[in-house]
Amino acid sequence: MVYKPVMIASLAALLLSAGVAPAQDSGPYKVLKIQLVGGDGGFDYVTADSDGRNLYVARSGPAGHIGVFNLDTLAQVGDIPGTSAHGGAVDTGTGHGFATSKPVTMFDAKTFAILKKIDVEGNPDGYLNDAYNHRFYVLSHSEPNITILDDKDGSVLGTIDIGGAPEQAATDGRGKIYVDIEDKAAIAVIDANTMKMNGKFDVSSKGGGCAGLALDAKNNILFATCRDNKNMIVLSATDGHIITDLPIGNGSDGATFNPATMEAFSSQGDGTLTVVKENSPTSFSVEQTVATPARAKVLTLDTKTDRILTITAEYGPVPAAPPAGATPAAGVPPPGAPAWMRGPRAPMIPGSFQILVIGK
């Protein structure tokens, strides 16, 4: 499937029509480009391959596929069909990519040809590719919570249960993996060599529902972006002690850290992107709140250009809630789901899917 991307001429007009929340602070970051892509299917994660200069955008559903876009122009350069996935990433060292479909899809990072399908347990969702020992981590809310694949041949190396629902993972590049546990207000610490969890950091004193996780690997600082208290919890990756917490927007679903600028980023579904400056390993401040189209709640960093990329779409009105006792409609979370997931969801307007570029 090949799309004909359309450049949006007036960013200001589109931001207004998309229901963008007003920026709370002025600063250097702004939406530089909005590329209308269109196409069918849901969406979750987006991943930049800064070395290969590609952007991987997974679409889910009956027409599920992974669109591959040039990071510099956003022109579509490839497609991986028949792959309904939450997201995917590549390993530059092996030239292989993996997508969290079920079964997991392994593909060639240059030709985008599917190499194999890999059966795993659980329900593949989030992911992390760790260049430290060339392993791909498949995250699942159901057990086993983590399945580890060998980037070289796609073989299953092992599984790890962390006692809760993982959302985002980060690697220090030296053998430590950190995974936020969304429903337990904790962060799991995993040894990449032994493939075992060897500890947890409790963040419940500052909140929970943490869905984003980023890491300053040089200074061993973790940034957990959490929904319950709408905050970014900053803690030590060495011993887990909480340094501070800072306010962010509502509905964070992703975080990243840029070591070149010493900034942590949190994207929120309420139409904001929060930029936190690390002034020192003990001093942090909210540098800027950037207005974005609503529901641009995941993000990825292009380390070559220091730009953030995110994805979103336009949505229609929220449908009326079903009568008490009625069977929930498709896509409506069941009773007992976290507060941020409850209630009917607005339907996506067909053909409105878009990619955003945020930078200075």
Side-chain angles (χ1 to χ4, degrees):
M1 184 183 298
V2 178
Y3 300 122
K4 296 180 179 179
V6 178
M7 179 59 62
I8 304 301
S10 173
L11 296 180
L14 184 55
L15 289 174
L16 182 61
S17 67
V20 174
Q24 298 173 6
D25 303 297
S26 60
Y29 288 94
K30 57 183 177 292
V31 177
L32 301 175
K33 186 176 184 179
I34 298 178
Q35 189 90 341
L36 182 64
V37 176
D40 299 324
F43 59 92
D44 199 352
Y45 298 107
V46 58
T47 306
D49 172 16
S50 297
D51 295 328
R53 307 309 301 152
N54 287 321
L55 183 74
Y56 292 88
V57 181
R59 306 296 299 274
S60 59
H65 65 106
I66 298 177
V68 188
F69 300 83
N70 180 280
L71 260 180
D72 299 302
T73 66
L74 294 189
Q76 187 165 4
V77 295
D79 194 83
I80 304 171
T83 305
S84 177
H86 286 268
V90 303
D91 182 331
T92 301
T94 64
H96 295 153
F98 298 85
T100 51
S101 51
K102 188 173 176 66
V104 170
T105 302
M106 179 178 177
F107 60 91
D108 187 289
K110 290 185 177 180
T111 67
F112 316 123
I114 294 175
L115 300 176
K116 65 190 299 187
K117 297 281 187 174
I118 306 164
D119 288 321
V120 299
E121 298 179 75
N123 294 296
D125 187 349
Y127 51 93
L128 171 74
N129 195 78
D130 188 10
Y132 165 73
N133 52 6
H134 303 289
R135 293 175 178 175
F136 185 78
Y137 292 73
V138 180
L139 309 184
S140 166
H141 283 195
S142 59
E143 296 181 0
N145 304 124
I146 301 174
T147 299
I148 306 167
L149 306 179
D150 189 323
D151 284 350
K152 296 185 293 296
D153 58 13
S155 59
V156 177
L157 299 176
T159 62
I160 308 172
D161 288 331
I162 59 175
E167 272 294 302
Q168 190 171 2
T171 173
D172 69 355
R174 302 185 298 271
K176 284 282 186 66
I177 302 289
Y178 302 90
V179 186
D180 57 2
I181 310 176
E182 181 185 34
D183 57 346
K184 301 298 182 183
I187 297 172
V189 183
I190 293 171
D191 186 313
N193 294 303
T194 64
M195 298 185 294
K196 296 183 182 298
M197 181 175 68
N198 55 18
K200 285 183 183 179
F201 298 148
D202 183 3
V203 298
S204 61
S205 64
K206 291 295 184 178
C210 303
L213 187 68
L215 173 67
D216 170 6
K218 178 182 178 182
N219 294 312
N220 289 320
I221 304 294
L222 286 163
F223 304 86
T225 60
C226 308
R227 296 177 176 132
D228 289 357
N229 290 350
K230 304 176 189 177
N231 61 345
M232 177 185 286
I233 301 173
V234 184
L235 64 155
S236 166
T238 302
D239 59 15
H241 81 269
I242 296 175
I243 301 168
T244 189
D245 71 308
L246 297 164
I248 60 174
N250 186 32
S252 175
D253 204 23
T256 190
F257 181 79
N258 187 351
T261 63
M262 300 303 289
E263 293 167 323
F265 300 83
S266 170
S267 51
Q268 289 91 222
D270 64 356
T272 59
L273 173 85
T274 304
V275 186
V276 168
K277 181 70 174 182
E278 181 178 333
N279 304 304
S280 76
T282 59
S283 174
F284 306 84
S285 59
V286 176
E287 182 179 41
Q288 185 182 354
T289 302
V290 185
T292 67
R295 297 177 183 265
K297 62 187 180 69
V298 296
L299 78 171
T300 187
L301 170 69
D302 178 3
T303 56
K304 179 180 177 180
T305 63
D306 295 326
R307 291 178 174 177
I308 297 292
L309 294 100
T310 183
I311 52 179
T312 190
E314 294 182 30
Y315 290 80
V318 177
T327 301
V332 177
W340 60 271
M341 287 179 59
R342 296 173 195 157
R345 297 183 180 182
M348 188 173 81
I349 296 174
S352 67
F353 180 77
Q354 54 204 241
I355 301 171
L356 284 73
V357 181
I358 300 167
K360 297 179 180 179

